[in-house]
Amino acid sequence: MSTVMIKCPNTGLAVSTAIETEPSVFRQLPKVASRMLCPACGKEHVWMTSSAWLAGAPRLVETRRPAKTVAA
Ligand SMILES: [Zn+2]
């Protein structure tokens, strides 16, 4: 199980929605809006499943770095 994460629009922090799901289930979720009380800023956010990601998933790491070492 992985935790569904969203980005807090006020602080820019990744915050947990306290929802846990399997990656295979998460990928098949319809685009629905959900509400949560944000632990980062204390306000309520409406978030979409399409803008959420799973903790530990590649999307969390957005900095690009060379994936392969190419032998010259
Ligand atoms: Zn927030």
Side-chain angles (χ1 to χ4, degrees), residues 18-39:
I19 297 170
E20 292 197 344
T21 186
E22 297 286 348
S24 58
V25 174
F26 181 75
R27 279 195 296 269
Q28 294 176 27
L29 286 176
K31 285 189 180 180
V32 292
S34 187
R35 289 170 182 262
M36 64 166 286
L37 191 63
C38 179

Side-chain angles (χ1 to χ4, degrees), residues 6-13 15 37-45:
I6 63 159
K7 183 178 179 180
C8 169
N10 293 330
T11 65
L13 296 172
V15 294
L37 191 63
C38 179
C41 70
K43 297 194 174 170
E44 192 177 64
H45 299 316

Side-chain angles (χ1 to χ4, degrees), residues 4-7 17 26 47-54 59:
V4 179
M5 307 289 291
I6 63 159
K7 183 178 179 180
T17 61
F26 181 75
W47 58 276
M48 301 290 292
T49 50
S50 56
S51 62
W53 71 91
L54 289 180
R59 184 172 169 173

